[in-house]
Amino acid sequence: MNNDPFARLGLDRQVLTVSQLNGRARVLLEDVFSNVWVEGELSNLARPASGHVYFTLKDAGAQVRCALFRQNAARVRAALRDGLAVKVRGKVSLFEGRGDYQLILDTVEPAGDGALRLAFEALKDKLTAEGLFSAERKQPLPAHPRRIGIVTSPSGAVIRDIISVFRRRAPQVELTVIPTPVQGREAIAQIVRALGLADRHGFDAIILARGGGSLEDLWCFNEEAVARAVDACVTPVVSAIGHETDVSISDFVADVRAPTPTAAAELLAPDSNDLQRQVASLQRRLLLRMQHRLAHDRLRLDGLARRLRHPGEKLRQQAQRLDDLDMRLRRAFAAAQQHRQQRVVHLDARLAAQHPGRTLALLAQRLEQLRQRLPKVMQERLRAERLRLQAQAQALNIVSPLATLGRGYSILLDSQGHAVRRAEQTTPGQRLTARLGEGELSVRVEDNHVAPVTLSLLD
């Protein structure tokens, strides 16, 4: 039979076994598709205890099983999860045992937007572990801010929307724009600088704002340097990045996340009309409280005037109270004395019930019972131990090497008395002792079949 996997089967009826068929198919696939890149979406991710990684790579119309063995899985830095878009490299193979078509991988990389999502999740997990997102680190926003810093681009609709909200709701609030680019790699350092500058100016609050865009456009707000700059601010920070559905790392670190820049302005801009209504309400409440307090104090003064009495009357009331307390004290003393007498009688009765003679009689009775039980218990214990000893002797006799020798086996011992278990432990011409069931024999090794040897016939 031709062993070339690429050779066609003969025209005559050449029959292959299943193993031969799968073996040829595997070699053919691995030779033709030895190093291919494939892009798709992860699903059915499995990580068994062996350290290997198994998953299915799929697109809209098909899927293929993939295997990433432990030594290659250790080099993959991406946090693999179901739904992640990846690019993989490997060879097409066949698992012969089941006849399954699969990819044996050596490289896995995030693909397209998946790389940014992967970096986003990795930084989010890192900062979560450090506690940067915890509620304990969040600062409350001021109820009536007077000076607010706005870190954003000086041009565009964002700053105009924020100014419009404050002009309509709280024109008394002083706004200061700290200009910075909000897109691109060069914007990262500028945003960090602007946040530090705003924090040092002593604003009541800071708005970090940017309009909507793609994930790449908003990416500078997902950088670790910007997140740590937001966390380092002593001033409360409101993050308003993108549209309502956009979420950034800065949103998680900031003290408050606003769905849009306009919403951020509304959070910090108290409505002037509401404030006027609150002041009017407080004025009415203050007037009512003052009127109520004056009426209350007037009634209290009238009551005190009616209660005012001559000191002699007060002394007579106190003398009467003193007599009442004296009689109550005498009654209480008599009752306490009677209670003590009753308690002494009760304790005396209890003491008589606990006389030592009674206890000694009970203990003597208990001792007699134990003395009668002791011989019986000892006999039962000796009988049990005798039975256990007999069982152990029988078990020992079963595993004894003497029993084995009695069945016709022998033990070879070297000159030191050690048992010989392998031919490699002997040399040709070596003297050994063969221990039998009854007696011993002295034997000599003629050949251990390990290496050719020639012995003298006269030895």
Side-chain angles (χ1 to χ4, degrees):
M1 182 178 292
N2 192 346
N3 293 326
D4 184 3
F6 299 99
R8 292 182 178 272
L9 296 178
L11 294 178
D12 55 342
R13 185 174 179 179
Q14 182 179 353
V15 180
L16 300 177
T17 66
V18 175
S19 297
Q20 291 173 332
L21 174 63
N22 285 354
R24 288 192 179 190
R26 179 184 61 80
V27 174
L28 180 63
L29 288 171
E30 291 180 355
D31 187 80
V32 176
F33 301 98
S34 60
N35 188 15
V36 294
W37 283 91
V38 183
E39 182 174 347
E41 179 181 310
L42 288 181
S43 65
N44 301 321
L45 183 67
R47 298 176 182 271
S50 62
H52 308 319
V53 179
Y54 301 97
F55 56 85
T56 300
L57 194 66
K58 66 179 183 178
D59 58 17
Q63 63 181 21
V64 61
R65 292 184 179 181
C66 299
L68 181 65
F69 295 124
R70 180 174 54 192
Q71 62 271 22
N72 293 322
R75 295 195 298 267
V76 176
R77 298 183 178 180
L80 302 181
R81 55 179 173 77
D82 287 345
L84 182 67
V86 295
K87 293 186 294 185
V88 300
R89 184 186 68 186
K91 63 181 178 181
V92 179
S93 183
L94 190 77
F95 181 40
E96 296 182 32
R98 291 197 304 264
D100 288 343
Y101 163 76
Q102 63 181 357
L103 283 172
I104 305 298
L105 307 179
D106 55 47
T107 300
V108 178
E109 297 178 357
D113 183 60
L116 297 180
R117 290 294 178 188
L118 185 63
F120 179 92
E121 294 297 333
L123 180 58
K124 181 181 176 183
D125 293 342
K126 175 182 177 181
L127 299 184
T128 300
E130 294 183 19
L132 266 67
F133 303 161
S134 62
E136 292 77 8
R137 302 172 74 99
K138 307 299 183 184
Q139 302 184 70
L141 298 182
H144 302 287
R146 307 176 79 177
R147 298 176 61 245
I148 294 178
I150 305 172
V151 177
T152 188
S153 172
S155 60
V158 170
I159 187 62
R160 292 195 299 270
D161 292 343
I162 293 176
I163 293 175
S164 174
V165 171
F166 276 96
R167 184 177 297 163
R168 172 172 49 86
R169 293 171 59 93
Q172 74 279 3
V173 176
E174 176 185 335
L175 302 179
T176 302
V177 178
I178 297 89
T180 179
V182 291
Q183 182 174 335
R185 297 295 304 176
E186 69 282 354
I188 298 172
Q190 296 294 326
I191 295 172
V192 172
R193 180 197 63 79
L195 285 170
L197 181 63
D199 192 40
R200 290 191 296 271
H201 270 65
F203 294 115
D204 297 322
I206 299 173
I207 297 177
L208 177 62
R210 189 210 187 280
S214 64
L215 181 62
E216 290 82 358
D217 295 338
L218 304 176
W219 189 252
C220 56
F221 295 96
N222 292 322
E223 291 288 345
E224 183 174 359
V226 175
R228 295 194 180 279
V230 173
D231 179 68
C233 288
V234 178
T235 309
V237 178
V238 178
S239 176
I241 309 302
H243 298 303
E244 185 171 355
T245 57
D246 297 322
V247 179
S248 67
I249 295 295
S250 299
D251 291 336
F252 292 113
V253 181
D255 298 293
V256 176
R257 174 190 178 265
T260 62
T262 301
E266 292 175 348
L267 284 173
L268 290 170
D271 193 341
S272 299
N273 295 329
D274 290 341
L275 290 177
Q276 291 175 359
R277 286 191 293 270
Q278 291 178 12
V279 170
S281 176
L282 291 174
Q283 287 178 342
R284 290 192 298 271
R285 290 175 58 190
L286 178 60
L287 180 60
L288 291 174
R289 291 294 297 272
M290 290 176 63
Q291 292 174 350
H292 177 74
R293 182 62 180 270
L294 288 174
H296 177 268
D297 289 346
R298 187 178 297 109
L299 292 173
R300 184 168 178 271
L301 181 60
D302 294 341
L304 291 174
R306 288 193 298 269
R307 291 170 56 189
L308 186 61
R309 295 291 184 270
H310 192 276
E313 183 179 350
K314 187 70 172 178
L315 289 174
R316 287 191 297 271
Q317 292 177 354
Q318 294 296 332
Q320 184 178 358
R321 177 168 175 75
L322 183 61
D323 292 339
D324 180 64
L325 292 175
D326 179 67
M327 289 186 292
R328 290 173 59 187
L329 178 62
R330 292 178 185 277
R331 288 194 299 268
F333 180 76
Q337 187 71 14
Q338 183 180 4
H339 176 72
R340 292 191 187 94
Q341 291 176 353
Q342 292 175 352
R343 181 167 176 76
V344 168
V345 173
H346 176 69
L347 292 176
D348 184 64
R350 290 181 58 190
L351 181 61
Q354 298 294 330
H355 193 277
R358 181 182 179 184
T359 303
L360 290 175
L362 292 174
L363 292 176
Q365 183 180 358
R366 175 66 175 165
L367 180 61
E368 178 63 21
Q369 293 174 353
L370 294 176
R371 186 182 65 77
Q372 294 175 1
R373 289 176 54 191
L374 181 60
K376 183 179 180 180
V377 172
M378 291 178 61
Q379 291 175 2
E380 291 178 354
R381 180 64 180 272
L382 288 174
R383 187 181 301 109
E385 292 296 329
R386 190 177 295 109
L387 292 175
R388 189 166 67 89
L389 180 60
Q390 292 175 357
Q392 290 177 346
Q394 293 176 357
L396 182 61
N397 186 56
I398 291 173
V399 300
S400 173
L402 297 178
T404 304
L405 295 177
R407 293 196 298 270
Y409 293 93
S410 64
I411 301 174
L412 290 179
L413 304 175
D414 60 14
S415 59
Q416 285 78 28
H418 299 153
V420 178
R421 294 180 174 83
R422 299 187 305 276
E424 290 83 354
Q425 292 180 258
T426 65
T427 58
Q430 182 179 358
R431 294 288 184 176
L432 302 175
T433 299
R435 184 172 178 179
L436 308 175
E438 295 182 2
E440 297 179 347
L441 295 177
S442 294
V443 300
R444 187 184 71 170
V445 178
E446 295 294 338
D447 187 0
N448 61 1
H449 301 285
V450 175
V453 65
T454 301
L455 297 178
S456 172
L457 297 177
L458 300 178
D459 189 4

